[in-house]
């Protein structure tokens, strides 16, 4: 009867939907939050599988069991699902209990039985109730009054104290009336003194003073760079004089150009100022060197007994002094190419005070971002402003080098590469968008970027709002790598990757997303000219948005821009912002209907280069859990991208020479792991092909390997050749592998060579034969 009733069909559809989503929630509850993405992929696979679809056909059972027509809604529901918090469950239970009690209770005025029960149980009389209520009110009033009295007493004491203080301190006796001198001389610190609280001397106050000095207040600078003048100003000392007599705590001087001044202590040092009043009485005043670039001295609040735990920076409790959370400096190392003709600067986290006069060093500190740039410029505050400890301390800041091109050819001078690398440094740290200096609670909802070149944001600073799932993620570490911000937990149990968003102007002062069609064409054509002119230079073309990474490039030379798109399969499926990994991805031109490809831990960057000045190759790169890289190459043919091959090296560290792509790849050959030089070129069929070689030289040929037992070898790399034995008293050198990487040539100390067939050795046998190897290069 109801077969043609549309309301019944609607109810059936909604029931089906609720059943499916209830099942999805049950799965997430059982498997945990980390299963969301995997389960969503499973739904997507089931919805698109051809055989599976044909098996279930279009039956009513199919509607009840899966309902792939609205799989997109199911995936969204799974990704958005969160387990109800405990307080919500408790609240719901409480409401339910109240409703049951109210609905089941008798609305009448009571019965004799109830009255008797009350009488037997000793229920309070009306007078007793009134007395109890009056007592409660009296207690509440007393409590409120006591609190008000305490507040009035504090304000009165503060007013009285400040009235005396404003008249100036002229003697030790007057000083003793305001401060606990015995405690001060015992602890050598103003910590715990009421007067410090009354005066409002804290970190926020000194940072305001620092800002005044940065803004050009010469009088303030002149006062606070001298510890005696600073003590007089801070304590309103009158009619006397003083001098700095000793360092109570000597913090290490962090930079070479400060070490040249023997009278200037390191930042965080505590000095004693002995002050003599006009009447001849004196007082010892501990002062801290709170900030060294502006040379600010403040009253010390630190724990002098903690100096054994510090070599640089302030003492424990010294909340007015600058605290360096992290310092990042350049490490000069060989560029990992076969030619070894170039070097690169890699910015890494270093110990505070590790400045080397080769490139800028950057600090993330409680006073803001600082840079040490050389003897003349010194240490300067680049971005003033408080950074809370919870935002940047304990690994919650990181450095990233946004290098636009990588010099992988000997046609470019090292100096050019150095300049590019210096300009590319960006610092990232967590921030709270609504945080005010002095707030006790911090809610991290932002990644703050400092572009050291100053080309982006406001004075180089840009705030990136974290998505809600990232704000809720318990993060201990922030790193930036391969085009991602990576949020990690220190125990390694969970990790979240977010696209490292782009904000760099690319053309006419505009970011790529704001270019008109004509500007995009001009920019893409200029990109092509740069690539084709600079043979062997690898360009990072990446423009990263929330939903996808893209690049604008004139691939075919017609003067118009092709848009290269890189997106996760999940983001493509739901067609909205999604932070799924690129393990399954689509890489296409001007469309997202391309082939789905697979590459675990794929990086979020698009690279391009030309090996010969005639064709452009595109590249993606992944990094496995051991840090080993694999690069995938693509060519543009007939309006589509074709994968032409891959090799096991970071695309940014290849070497290009005479049309050849020279790589250094880690290779395990049972005995140990070596870096082999493997050369490729693009063949006539358009595919990446390895160029044959007679042998692969091993980099550590000068290392003599001792023997635990006699070693049997062949005269030539042929199992049928003559065999002979090398006595265990001798050691051998590993020289090279044969063309097929099946045989290893060894040489004794007296120049006798032989060949080992690698297939004859297991890891255990290798360890038993050679006394200095770890099997499989582990």
């Amino acid at each position: 009867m109801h077969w043609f009733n549309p309301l019944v069909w609607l109810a059936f559809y909604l029931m089906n939907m609720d059943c499916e989503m209830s099942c999805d929630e049950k799965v997430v509850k059982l498997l945990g939050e980390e299963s969301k993405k995997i389960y969503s992929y499973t739904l997507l696979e089931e919805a698109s599988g051809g055989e599976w679809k044909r098996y279930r056909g279009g039956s009513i059972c199919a509607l009840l069991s899966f309902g792939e027509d609205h799989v997109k809604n199911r995936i969204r529901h799974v990704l958005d699902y969160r387990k109800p918090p405990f307080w919500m469950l408790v609240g719901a239970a409480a409401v339910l209990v109240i409703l049951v009690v109210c609905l089941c209770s008798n609305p009448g005025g009571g019965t004799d039985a109830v009255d008797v029960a009350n009488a037997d149980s000793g229920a309070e009389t009306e007078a007793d109730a009134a007395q109890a209520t009056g007592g409660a009110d009296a207690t509440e009033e007393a409590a409120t009054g006591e609190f008000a009295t305490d507040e009035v007493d504090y304000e009165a004491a503060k007013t009285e104290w400040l009235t005396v203080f404003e008249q100036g301190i002229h003697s030790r006796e007057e000083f003793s009336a305001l401060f606990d001198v015995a405690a001060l001389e015992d602890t050598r610190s103003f910590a715990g003194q009421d007067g410090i609280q009354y005066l409002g001397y804290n970190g926020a106050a000194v940072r305001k003073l620092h800002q005044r000095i940065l803004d050009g207040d010469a009088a303030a600078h002149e006062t606070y760079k001298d510890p005696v003048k600073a003590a007089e100003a801070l304590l309103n000392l009158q009619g006397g004089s003083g001098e700095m007599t000793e360092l109570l705590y000597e913090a290490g001087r962090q930079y070479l150009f400060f070490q040249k001044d023997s009278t200037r202590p390191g930042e965080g040092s505590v000095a004693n100022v002995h002050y003599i009043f006009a009447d001849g009485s004196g007082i010892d005043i501990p002062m801290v060197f709170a900030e060294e670039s502006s040379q600010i001295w403040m009253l010390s609040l630190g724990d002098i007994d903690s100096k054994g735990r510090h070599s640089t920076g302030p003492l424990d409790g010294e909340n007015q002094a600058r605290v360096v959370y992290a310092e990042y400096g350049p490490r000069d190392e060989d560029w990992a190419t076969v030619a070894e003709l170039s070097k690169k600067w890699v910015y890494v986290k270093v110990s505070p005070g590790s400045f080397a006069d080769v490139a800028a060093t950057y600090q993330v500190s409680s006073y803001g971002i600082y840079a040490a740039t050389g003897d003349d410029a010194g240490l300067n505050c680049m971005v003033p402003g408080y950074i809370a400890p919870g935002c940047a301390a304990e690994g919650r800041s990181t450095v990233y080098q946004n290098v636009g091109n990588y010099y992988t050819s000997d046609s470019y001078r090292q100096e050019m590469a150095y300049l590019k690398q210096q300009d590319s440094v960006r610092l990232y740290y967590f921030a709270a968008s609504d945080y005010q200096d002095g707030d006790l609670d911090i809610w991290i909802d932002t990644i703050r970027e400092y572009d050291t070149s100053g080309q982006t944001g406001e004075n180089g600073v840009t705030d990136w709002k974290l998505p809600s799932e990232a704000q809720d993620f318990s993060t201990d570490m922030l790193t930036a790598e391969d085009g991602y911000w990576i949020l990690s937990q220190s125990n390694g149990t969970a990790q979240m990757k977010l696209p490292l968003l782009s904000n760099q102007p690319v053309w006419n002062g505009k970011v790529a997303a704001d270019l008109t069609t004509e500007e995009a064409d001009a920019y893409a054509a200029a990109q092509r000219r740069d690539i084709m002119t600079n043979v062997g230079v690898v360009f990072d073309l990446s423009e990263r948005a929330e939903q996808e990474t893209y690049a604008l490039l004139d691939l075919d030379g017609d003067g118009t821009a092709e848009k290269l798109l890189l997106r996760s399969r999940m983001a493509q499926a739901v067609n909205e912002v999604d932070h799924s990994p690129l393990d399954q991805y689509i890489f296409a031109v001007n469309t997202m209907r391309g082939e789905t490809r697979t590459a675990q831990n794929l990086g979020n960057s698009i690279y391009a280069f030309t090996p010969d000045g005639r064709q452009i190759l595109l590249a993606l790169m992944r990094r496995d859990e051991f840090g080993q890289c694999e690069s995938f190459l693509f060519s543009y043919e007939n309006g589509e991208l074709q994968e032409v091959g891959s090799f096991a090296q970071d695309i940014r560290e290849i070497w290009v020479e005479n049309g050849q792509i020279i790589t250094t790849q880690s290779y395990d050959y049972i005995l140990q792991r070596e870096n082999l030089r493997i050369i490729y070129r693009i063949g006539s069929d358009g595919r990446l092909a390895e160029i044959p070689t007679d042998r692969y030289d091993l980099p550590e040929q000068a290392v003599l390997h001792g023997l635990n037992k006699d070693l049997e070898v062949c005269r030539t790399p042929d199992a049928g050749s003559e065999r002979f034995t090398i006595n265990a008293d001798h050691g051998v050198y590993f020289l090279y592998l044969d063309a097929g990487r099946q045989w290893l040539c060894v040489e004794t100390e007296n120049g006798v060579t032989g060949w080992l067939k690698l297939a004859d050795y297991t890891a255990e046998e290798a360890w038993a034969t050679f006394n200095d190897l770890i099997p499989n290069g582990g």
Side-chain angles (χ1 to χ4, degrees), residues 328-544:
Y328 298 94
R331 184 179 64 205
D332 192 13
E333 64 176 27
D334 286 338
W335 190 271
T337 59
V338 177
E340 296 181 0
L341 298 177
S342 180
K343 289 184 179 293
K344 63 178 178 180
W345 286 335
V346 179
Y347 270 80
V348 297
K349 191 172 182 178
V350 297
S351 300
S354 299
F355 174 73
D357 193 12
V358 291
T361 298
Y362 300 98
Q363 292 181 338
V364 181
S365 77
S366 58
Y367 277 53
I369 304 295
Y370 282 64
T373 53
D375 285 356
D376 297 328
L379 179 70
N380 295 307
C381 184
M382 311 303 292
V383 184
Y386 182 54
I387 299 175
C391 294
E394 302 300 330
R396 293 185 168 199
S397 64
T398 189
V399 67
Y400 184 79
Q401 288 177 263
N402 190 43
V403 180
N405 41 25
Y406 297 85
Y407 288 79
T408 55
S409 168
D410 59 2
S411 57
Y412 294 91
R413 294 179 295 114
Q414 295 178 22
E415 291 82 357
M416 295 174 63
Y418 281 174
L419 291 174
K420 290 288 184 183
Q421 290 159 22
Q422 282 191 82
D423 291 342
S424 70
V425 180
R426 298 186 181 194
L427 300 180
Y428 296 104
Y429 55 93
F430 288 123
S433 59
D434 58 351
Y435 183 82
Q436 299 295 319
D437 197 348
D439 288 351
L440 297 179
D441 295 327
I442 301 173
W443 178 255
I444 294 175
D445 61 357
T446 299
I447 291 179
R448 185 159 292 158
E449 172 190 302
Y450 171 55
D451 177 3
T452 60
S453 70
Q455 297 178 15
T456 59
E458 184 176 351
N459 297 321
V461 176
T462 303
D463 279 358
W464 302 101
K465 193 80 168 184
L466 286 168
S468 58
E469 64 267 29
Q471 294 183 35
D472 295 335
F473 187 76
S474 178
T475 304
D476 299 318
M477 299 289 292
L478 171 66
T479 54
E481 183 179 74
D482 299 335
Y484 290 109
W485 287 307
I486 304 175
L487 283 59
S488 306
Q489 294 177 354
S490 57
N491 58 12
T493 57
Q495 187 182 83
M496 178 181 289
K497 289 185 176 181
L498 302 174
L500 202 160
L501 302 176
S502 302
N503 64 337
Q504 191 92 8
V506 297
W507 194 257
N508 291 340
K510 295 182 180 180
V511 297
D514 294 340
L515 297 180
T516 65
T517 301
E518 292 75 14
E519 288 172 331
D521 290 341
Y523 171 60
Q527 293 264 70
R528 177 183 178 85
R529 285 194 300 273
D530 287 344
I531 294 171
M532 297 299 280
T533 302
N534 300 314
V535 176
V537 176
V538 175
F539 288 75
D540 185 347
L541 307 180
S542 312
E543 299 295 333
R544 301 181 191 92

Side-chain angles (χ1 to χ4, degrees), residues 168-187:
I169 299 176
H170 304 82
S171 66
R172 179 185 175 91
E173 182 180 0
E174 291 182 4
F175 189 95
S176 300
L178 295 173
F179 296 96
D180 186 342
V181 174
L184 178 64
E185 293 179 340
D186 180 52
T187 63

Side-chain angles (χ1 to χ4, degrees), residues 154-173:
Y154 172 81
E155 291 299 326
K158 178 181 176 180
T159 301
E160 181 182 352
W161 191 97
L162 291 174
T163 300
V164 176
F165 176 81
E166 288 168 0
Q167 296 172 9
I169 299 176
H170 304 82
S171 66
R172 179 185 175 91
E173 182 180 0

Side-chain angles (χ1 to χ4, degrees), residues 21 35 44 54 78 100 109 114 185 193 201 287 332 358 385 398 402 404 419 446 450 455 475 485 512 539 607 742 758:
M21 292 186 178
S35 68
L44 190 60
R54 285 196 293 273
V78 168
V100 170
V114 173
E185 293 179 340
Q193 298 276 352
Y201 289 164
M287 302 291 292
D332 192 13
V358 291
T398 189
N402 190 43
L419 291 174
T446 299
Y450 171 55
Q455 297 178 15
T475 304
W485 287 307
F539 288 75
Y607 303 99
Q742 303 298 314
L758 298 175

Side-chain angles (χ1 to χ4, degrees), residues 712-727:
E712 187 178 60
V713 296
C714 296
R715 289 288 180 190
T716 64
D718 182 349
S721 66
E722 177 190 354
R723 293 176 177 266
F724 67 95
T725 300
I726 298 175
N727 191 281

Side-chain angles (χ1 to χ4, degrees), residues 249 251-252 254 266-270 288-290 300 302-303 306-307 309-324 366:
Y249 159 61
Q254 298 186 44
E267 185 176 76
S269 295
V270 177
V288 61
F289 194 33
S300 176
D303 177 6
S306 70
K307 63 182 180 181
R309 296 193 292 270
H310 299 272
S311 58
T312 60
L315 296 170
D316 296 350
E318 202 75 86
N319 65 7
Q320 297 182 101
R322 190 174 79 98
V323 178
V324 177
S366 58

